[in-house]
Amino acid sequence: MKKSIILLGILATSIGLSACSNNTTTSSATNSSAHSGHEHHKAAVADIREETAGADVLPQFLKNQSKDMKLVYLSVAKNRELLKKIPCYCGCGMEVNHKNSYDCFIFKNKRNGAVVWDDHGTKCGLCIEIAAKAMLDYNRGKSIKDIRKDIDEKYKEGYAQPTPTPSL
């Protein structure tokens, strides 16, 4: 578990520049260069969804992805209650009807334990960054309320509207 937390930390810090957003108006030079010109979510309607027997069985669309990407997906599956309370700021709320950060990776949990995975997270660094940061902070003992406050503050300017995640 400790190795997973360390890998998530490295992943979260290394992908910030690849994050995407529909909002090209930014408040800083860093955000402007990192987020301008991304049109990711206009194509997001074609996200791949794949069902597996459970949260410990990854979908085939991750087969050629990095170990880090696979780790993020496995970690997301184990942090449903946390990520359902964390918004995403990449524009997926308006473009593909996501309600929270969890939806960027998992479309549906079925009653029989099966999971319908979504490949949206594989195409958007911002989705990964937000989920990884939230999971890292939670594993370090930070409250969900404080994590949500930090993420809302960090992404309030220069990013797309957040998903319609209910307030805490």
Side-chain angles (χ1 to χ4, degrees):
M1 184 62 153
K2 190 173 185 177
K3 182 180 177 185
S4 297
I5 293 170
I6 292 168
L7 286 173
L8 278 173
I10 293 167
L11 182 63
T13 57
S14 68
I15 60 173
L17 294 177
S18 68
C20 61
S21 171
N22 280 339
N23 185 353
T24 58
T25 305
T26 58
S27 60
S28 71
T30 302
N31 283 347
S32 180
S33 65
H35 299 284
S36 65
H38 286 264
E39 305 243 353
H40 162 70
H41 296 287
K42 291 183 180 175
V45 175
D47 284 351
I48 296 169
R49 293 187 178 141
E50 182 181 336
E51 183 174 326
T52 67
D56 57 342
V57 181
L58 290 173
Q60 286 299 304
F61 66 73
L62 289 175
K63 183 178 179 182
N64 295 322
Q65 295 288 339
S66 70
K67 288 181 183 179
D68 289 342
M69 183 68 71
K70 292 173 186 173
L71 175 63
V72 169
Y73 269 80
L74 286 170
S75 297
V76 165
K78 294 176 183 173
N79 285 280
R80 179 180 181 186
E81 295 308 311
L82 165 66
L83 295 174
K84 286 272 190 188
K85 296 173 181 155
I86 303 298
C88 185
Y89 282 81
C90 78
C92 61
M94 294 181 71
E95 296 296 329
V96 291
N97 203 30
H98 288 175
K99 305 292 185 230
N100 50 59
S101 182
Y102 187 78
D103 290 353
C104 299
F105 304 90
I106 297 178
F107 177 71
K108 185 176 185 178
N109 294 89
K110 294 191 167 184
R111 289 181 190 219
N112 67 358
V115 174
V116 180
W117 303 88
D118 192 315
D119 82 330
H120 180 86
T122 66
K123 300 177 279 190
C124 183
L126 189 58
C127 297
I128 296 168
E129 181 180 330
I130 290 170
K133 176 158 180 32
M135 292 184 292
L136 279 169
D137 287 349
Y138 190 69
N139 283 316
R140 291 178 178 150
K142 200 174 228 183
S143 72
I144 295 174
K145 187 174 183 175
D146 286 342
I147 295 166
R148 171 72 180 266
K149 181 181 170 193
D150 290 349
I151 286 175
D152 285 339
E153 182 64 28
K154 180 175 181 176
Y155 299 102
K156 72 180 179 182
E157 293 181 24
Y159 297 89
Q161 289 294 313
T163 52
T165 310
S167 298
L168 295 177

